[in-house]
Amino acid sequence: MNVFWRVFAVLSVTALFLAAVGESELSRALLLGFAGYLLSALLTQVWVLLTAPLQSKKIRFVSLGNGRILAEATIGKALVQLRAVPGPLHVCWYAAQAPLARLRLWAGSALSVGLQGVIGVWLLSGTTTWPMGAAFLAATVVRIASTLRGPLGTGRILFVLPFSRSPLPLSTAANLRAGTAVNLGRLDELSSAVPELTPEDRPELDRGLLALADGRYAEAEQWGRTAFERAFSYDSALSAGLLLSSAIVGAADAGELPRERCLSRLMAVLGQFHGPAAAVARAVPAAADCARLDNRLDEALAAARTQRGQHTAPVWRAEAGCSRAAAPDGRAPV
């Protein structure tokens, strides 16, 4: 869960406590502030849903909430998921090649921020709604500031894109087809799209996924290392790490890699994931396999259980399922 959501969740609980002890004015201010933050986050995602074609964006997937997936459907070419823990609406998108794509991306972001600014000022000017307006505007500022360094975040599009001559990371038609195939778990469609990918499309991850699915683990590992080296964002680095670690585990379980070499390689890869060990165990299927191969069977089973239904892409949910199936018996290559 995003750290900002945790902060505002704490504030909402504090507000309820203050209301219970009679501090109604302060409680009301905190609750309105929480509502303002939620409203800003919701409008940001709804704006993308409503205006994606105008902004040269293709919707990749839509999820509501956090945690384990409760329900899933495919609408058009997008994956739509409902998750177990109440939480924010999240819309993930690609930037597609299209006429005036740079201008369309900038205009869409400018209109979104401008609309939120107008709403925030209007709420701020009210004698009773000012806490909501303050939180609404603060959330908008945080969103801009936190995305100044991302490849296509709101802040970067607004304040860096107009002055940059570097090419945008726009997806070609073949790249969009490959990405959609990965999101929906359709490896046959991925196989047909991969030959059309160019080096600029960064096809390493797609080729590595096909090699992994086909049991060519050494090749998948090499593609994973190349994808990791060429990663241009946190998400692309995460996907490359998942591929790389899964390929190492596959080679070990197939008897192609001795246990000692497997563990050293796997631990090195797991160490490159950001966050504490517990967070890595929740997000990386191979973390359960690492514990299993190291004969830490209770840890392996616990890690595998926490990952059920967590991953967006079906391919990584399948990998997590394999880790869960292997965890109880503790079998390791010799």
Side-chain angles (χ1 to χ4, degrees):
M1 186 184 293
N2 187 291
V3 64
F4 296 109
W5 286 96
R6 292 180 179 178
V7 170
F8 278 92
V10 170
L11 289 180
S12 67
V13 172
T14 304
L16 293 175
F17 171 77
L18 291 173
V21 299
E23 298 289 339
S24 57
E25 289 299 321
L26 181 56
S27 171
R28 184 173 178 277
L30 287 176
L31 286 175
L32 284 174
F34 186 46
Y37 183 86
L38 291 176
L39 182 60
S40 174
L42 177 62
L43 288 181
T44 299
Q45 301 301 314
V46 170
W47 175 265
V48 176
L49 279 176
L50 295 178
T51 65
L54 299 177
Q55 296 189 64
S56 187
K57 295 178 180 179
K58 299 289 185 182
I59 303 299
R60 177 184 172 191
F61 73 87
V62 180
S63 67
L64 179 61
N66 295 298
R68 185 168 56 88
I69 297 171
L70 294 179
E72 184 177 75
T74 302
I75 300 178
K77 295 183 178 180
L79 200 60
V80 181
Q81 299 172 337
L82 175 65
R83 294 178 174 262
V85 181
L89 174 70
H90 180 64
V91 181
C92 184
W93 49 270
Y94 298 104
Q97 289 185 348
L100 301 176
R102 185 181 290 260
L103 176 61
R104 290 161 65 176
L105 284 169
W106 184 88
S109 295
L111 287 172
S112 174
V113 171
L115 176 62
Q116 295 222 12
V118 170
I119 294 173
V121 170
W122 175 68
L123 291 172
L124 190 62
S125 63
T127 56
T128 58
T129 60
W130 67 266
M132 181 182 288
F136 192 97
L137 291 174
T140 303
V141 171
V142 167
R143 176 165 56 91
I144 293 172
S146 62
T147 54
L148 281 170
R149 300 182 65 180
L152 281 176
T154 299
R156 187 169 185 83
I157 289 174
L158 282 177
F159 298 110
V160 178
L161 183 63
F163 310 103
S164 174
R165 295 185 178 180
S166 59
L168 291 174
L170 300 177
S171 298
T172 63
N175 207 1
L176 287 172
R177 285 172 49 214
T180 299
V182 171
N183 293 338
L184 301 181
R186 299 172 180 173
L187 294 182
D188 54 339
E189 295 181 14
L190 177 62
S191 181
S192 65
V194 161
E196 300 177 23
L197 297 176
T198 66
E200 289 72 26
D201 290 324
R202 301 176 185 267
E204 297 85 8
L205 181 62
D206 301 305
R207 295 184 185 279
L209 286 174
L210 290 178
L212 180 67
D214 199 34
R216 292 177 278 118
Y217 300 117
E219 181 182 344
E221 181 182 349
Q222 185 56 52
W223 283 121
R225 294 190 184 280
T226 305
F228 200 87
E229 292 171 0
R230 297 193 65 193
F232 62 92
S233 67
Y234 172 77
D235 287 342
S236 59
L238 175 61
S239 296
L242 291 174
L243 170 62
L244 181 53
S245 56
S246 294
I248 294 172
V249 170
D253 284 340
E256 299 174 9
L257 190 64
R259 178 179 179 179
E260 294 75 15
R261 292 180 58 195
C262 166
L263 278 172
S264 61
R265 286 192 194 180
L266 193 52
M267 288 177 178
V269 173
L270 293 177
Q272 296 184 52
F273 286 94
H274 295 295
V280 174
R282 290 193 300 268
V284 184
D289 295 291
C290 183
R292 168 174 61 90
L293 295 170
D294 198 30
N295 289 322
R296 293 178 280 115
L297 303 185
D298 290 340
E299 292 181 33
L301 186 57
R305 282 175 173 168
T306 61
Q307 292 198 30
R308 288 183 298 177
Q310 296 283 347
H311 294 278
T312 299
V315 62
W316 301 126
R317 289 209 299 275
E319 285 294 310
C322 290
S323 298
R324 170 66 181 86
D329 56 30
R331 285 178 297 181
V334 293

